[in-house]
Amino acid sequence: MASDDIAQLADALSKTHVGDGELSFKGLGLKLDNAASVEELVRDIEQYQGLRALRLEGNTLGVDAARAIAKALENKDLLQRCYWSDMFTGRLRSEIPTALRSLGSALMSSGARLTELDLSDNAFGPDGVKGIEQLLKSPSCHRLRELKLNNCGMGIGGGKILAEALIECHRQSSAHGAPLKLRVFIAGRNRLENEGARALAKAFQVIGSLEEVHMPQNGINYAGVMALASAMRHNPELRVLNFNDNTFTKRGTLAMAQALRHLRNVQVINFGDCLVRSEGAIALAAGLREGLPILKELNLSFGEITEAAALVVAQAVMDKPHMEKVDLNGNCLGEEGCEALREAMENMDKGDMLSSLSDDEGEPDDEDDEEDDDDRENGDDGEDDASDNCNEDDEEDDEIVKENGIIKGDSPEKQQSPPAPAAEKNPRGNTVLALRVESAIFVDCPVSLCPTTDAVLKKLLSASTFQSYCFLSTLLVQMGLLKGEGKLKKVSLIPGQLLCLEHAIHQEYFSQHHASLLHTFISKNSEALKSCSSAGERLSSALEKKCNDQH
């Protein structure tokens, strides 16, 4: 090694931080190619008694240098935290797995029990995951609490390998009487897509101890999101959910909203840039009303949410005493909508928690054809496999849930509701409840049918907030007050339909917050009812009166 290189290394190592069981070479920019280049670094490691944390991030390790460092770690049985992000800049991708295997083997040989492993920003791909596979399965990771693999380019293959390794780690640790209790999982920017997400969802469901999950920007759409949502329900201590910049659309958002109803400890939700849209926002508002008692931050930015849906979300956060931040920037509110949202938040004395709306996209063009992203990505018509997750069964993980809560493919034994009349069965997969509502309200609805309307609406609106909001969302689409995804479209309104709905509003089962939801949309889209002007005015008046009634 040249004398000037030695001098440079010595100068860098003089800045090494030592203390509290931590030895840090962080950010020194060392190019460590071979054993000679790490002699002093190795000496520092060997001489450090009681080493509990080693920071190597911000340097670049070659295979031989990694082997030399690994040799020094073989006797460090107290090591718990490895901060090894951004450690292979400029290295061949083929070098990285070998270097990782050397370091992992040393940890296993030493008997170390890691609590934190950070390998973020290493871009090692699926092969890199293979390099840590045995380490993750080993007793050295049985006590792992934080695993950080952000921006590693794992891909689908890497995600599957990682998932299997975590499942095996849990199996082996459980056999020893102390199951893996991973708390923090970070894997953003990894191109996991649906298959990788599904594989990891299985691991998350098995582990059940997660408190933070960060998986932004992974190319996951509704199918992967649904699997993750199901897994989240098995992790009751969840505090932070970050799925920013994936593609939820309606089906994914409904699944996630359904999961959130069961989680009592969530404090931060980041579904920004996830194409939540207005129907999804309504479902999330239901989740806010029904649960999430200690929520502090909600990010639904850049989700194509319209003004009325944003106002419904704002109303839902009103009773959250711990709420600190609501981000609805980058949606489709329009100038007046932004002002209305600010005013609504200020009227609730929560104006300071609303983030800037400076990037609002403006009101959507009514002439735009709103295609379902799910259909474009998956080549189906979005009907027979629509998964709206509006069912309250807690064991629904493998069920495909249809519009408004009916399960596709349920056996007669599982469905406890009375058999549907022949007229209510539909070979195209429309649900029983949707057809009942359509026949009672939207096809031929003179006032004489109000008892039928009452029976159906009482059942729907007396259910959970989530289910009732799913129904009202469908109702809004059929009334032409909300653009929906999938095949459900607006019907031609006649006065009798609105009169029946007005009658329902006066009933006890039609709650104030149900009225508030409908009134918000009708007041922002009054033109949709112009064909039934008198009945529309009566309906609006009834809703306004209900909204103003005291609890």
Side-chain angles (χ1 to χ4, degrees):
M1 190 174 186
S3 58
D4 56 342
D5 291 336
I6 294 174
Q8 183 181 5
L9 177 59
D11 178 63
L13 292 178
S14 69
K15 302 171 185 174
T16 299
H17 169 73
V18 178
D20 301 324
E22 178 180 293
L23 182 58
S24 175
F25 304 95
K26 179 180 179 180
L28 298 181
L30 301 175
K31 191 172 187 295
L32 307 172
D33 297 321
N34 48 44
S37 68
V38 293
E39 283 181 357
E40 292 192 42
L41 187 150
V42 165
R43 189 178 303 115
D44 283 347
I45 293 174
E46 290 175 338
Q47 293 177 355
Y48 197 107
Q49 300 301 311
L51 181 65
R52 286 180 166 77
L54 178 61
R55 307 196 78 109
L56 295 174
E57 64 264 56
N59 301 291
T60 176
L61 272 65
V63 171
D64 292 337
R67 286 176 178 148
I69 293 171
K71 185 70 174 174
L73 292 175
E74 288 180 354
N75 297 317
K76 300 301 177 183
D77 61 327
L78 298 179
L79 187 61
Q80 297 177 336
R81 303 185 303 279
C82 296
Y83 303 105
W84 294 351
S85 63
D86 189 19
M87 205 168 63
F88 298 108
T89 300
R91 300 295 171 181
L92 295 175
R93 198 164 181 173
S94 58
E95 294 181 81
I96 300 175
T98 304
L100 288 172
R101 285 192 189 96
S102 296
L103 294 167
S105 295
L107 294 173
M108 290 185 282
S109 298
S110 72
R113 295 294 184 265
L114 298 185
T115 58
E116 184 172 356
L117 177 60
D118 186 355
L119 288 165
S120 299
D121 301 317
N122 278 313
F124 47 50
D127 290 339
V129 185
K130 292 178 182 177
I132 60 171
E133 181 180 7
Q134 294 308 312
L135 172 63
L136 290 174
K137 292 178 179 179
S138 76
S140 288
C141 286
H142 285 185
R143 298 178 189 172
L144 195 64
R145 297 294 180 264
E146 300 187 19
L147 179 59
K148 302 175 182 179
L149 297 166
N150 201 59
N151 191 32
C152 289
M154 289 189 289
I156 294 171
K160 290 180 175 180
I161 295 167
L162 175 61
E164 289 300 322
L166 291 173
I167 291 171
E168 180 63 17
C169 181
H170 186 273
R171 187 189 70 79
Q172 291 190 22
S173 58
S174 297
H176 286 87
L180 171 68
K181 292 185 178 179
L182 190 67
R183 293 173 184 162
V184 177
F185 180 84
I186 300 177
R189 299 185 66 187
N190 270 292
R191 297 182 286 107
L192 294 169
E193 301 181 15
N194 286 342
E195 290 187 55
R198 283 188 180 120
L200 285 166
K202 292 178 182 178
F204 297 160
Q205 184 165 326
V206 168
I207 292 168
S209 57
L210 290 167
E211 296 179 10
E212 295 186 25
V213 177
H214 303 262
M215 296 176 65
Q217 203 172 344
N218 268 297
I220 304 169
N221 66 27
Y222 80 91
V225 172
M226 288 174 66
L228 289 168
S230 179
M232 295 305 101
R233 293 176 58 178
H234 295 268
N235 290 266
E237 299 304 315
L238 267 173
R239 294 183 295 106
V240 179
L241 272 179
N242 177 8
F243 292 114
N244 189 282
D245 199 9
N246 290 290
T247 307
F248 282 28
T249 57
K250 176 183 175 181
R251 284 177 272 190
T253 310
L254 289 177
M256 199 60 75
Q258 173 78 310
L260 290 171
R261 297 170 57 218
H262 303 274
L263 300 172
R264 310 297 295 176
N265 295 301
V266 174
Q267 297 178 25
V268 178
I269 295 173
N270 186 345
F271 296 162
D273 205 9
C274 284
L275 212 59
V276 164
R277 291 184 174 148
S278 295
E279 287 181 280
I282 292 171
L284 290 170
L288 285 165
R289 286 190 177 276
E290 221 168 356
L292 302 169
I294 59 173
L295 188 67
K296 293 181 178 179
E297 296 184 19
L298 177 64
N299 184 345
L300 297 180
S301 59
F302 298 93
E304 294 190 5
I305 298 169
T306 58
E307 175 190 353
L311 288 170
V312 169
V313 171
Q315 292 160 7
V317 304
M318 178 173 59
D319 297 324
K320 299 298 171 188
H322 303 282
M323 186 65 76
E324 298 173 358
K325 181 180 178 182
V326 177
D327 191 346
L328 288 163
N329 194 23
N331 283 297
C332 303
L333 311 184
E335 187 175 341
E336 292 184 5
C338 288
E339 186 57 37
L341 181 59
R342 290 190 193 98
E343 183 178 343
M345 295 293 286
E346 288 170 1
N347 288 342
M348 295 184 290
D349 199 25
K350 295 184 181 292
D352 57 342
M353 73 174 58
L354 182 64
S355 295
S356 168
L357 300 173
S358 59
D359 295 317
D360 187 72
E361 296 287 340
E363 294 183 62
D365 185 349
D366 290 338
E367 299 302 317
D368 287 346
D369 292 324
E370 185 172 326
E371 297 180 30
D372 188 351
D373 283 27
D374 299 347
D375 302 343
R376 291 203 305 269
E377 292 168 11
N378 295 282
D380 57 47
D381 64 8
E383 179 178 43
D384 290 340
D385 144 49
S387 305
D388 283 356
N389 286 331
C390 296
N391 186 274
E392 290 197 282
D393 187 352
D394 284 345
E395 302 301 325
E396 70 186 347
D397 297 342
D398 298 318
E399 296 168 348
I400 302 299
V401 184
K402 296 294 288 177
E403 298 277 352
N404 299 310
I406 302 301
I407 301 171
K408 176 184 177 184
D410 265 355
S411 64
E413 294 80 6
K414 189 166 183 180
Q415 290 192 26
Q416 298 301 315
S417 56
E424 291 176 337
K425 297 176 181 177
N426 188 302
R428 293 188 58 79
N430 288 331
T431 67
V432 175
L433 286 180
L435 284 171
R436 283 177 179 168
V437 171
E438 187 175 356
S439 63
I441 302 177
F442 292 115
V443 176
D444 180 17
C445 190
V447 178
S448 61
L449 278 181
C450 283
T452 306
T453 306
D454 279 341
V456 176
L457 289 180
K458 183 175 182 179
K459 181 176 181 179
L460 288 166
L461 296 177
S462 298
S464 69
T465 303
F466 179 79
Q467 280 191 309
S468 64
Y469 272 44
C470 283
F471 161 68
L472 290 174
S473 180
T474 300
L475 189 67
L476 290 167
V477 172
Q478 291 189 297
M479 292 175 71
L481 298 168
L482 172 65
K483 279 189 176 181
E485 297 179 26
K487 295 267 182 185
L488 192 64
K489 300 298 181 184
K490 174 185 175 182
V491 300
S492 297
L493 294 176
I494 59 174
Q497 298 160 346
L498 302 189
L499 293 175
C500 269
L501 191 53
E502 180 209 344
H503 166 84
I505 290 165
H506 293 297
Q507 309 311 306
E508 187 175 344
Y509 61 75
F510 209 105
S511 72
Q512 194 175 42
H513 67 89
H514 293 143
S516 177
L517 193 160
L518 284 184
H519 183 260
T520 298
F521 274 85
I522 287 176
S523 64
K524 300 300 177 183
N525 301 275
S526 56
E527 286 295 304
L529 306 183
K530 64 181 180 181
S531 62
C532 308
S533 57
S534 178
E537 289 173 5
R538 288 181 57 175
L539 176 62
S540 296
S541 177
L543 285 169
E544 187 170 354
K545 184 177 185 302
K546 189 85 170 189
C547 291
N548 292 330
D549 285 345
Q550 296 300 314
H551 291 285

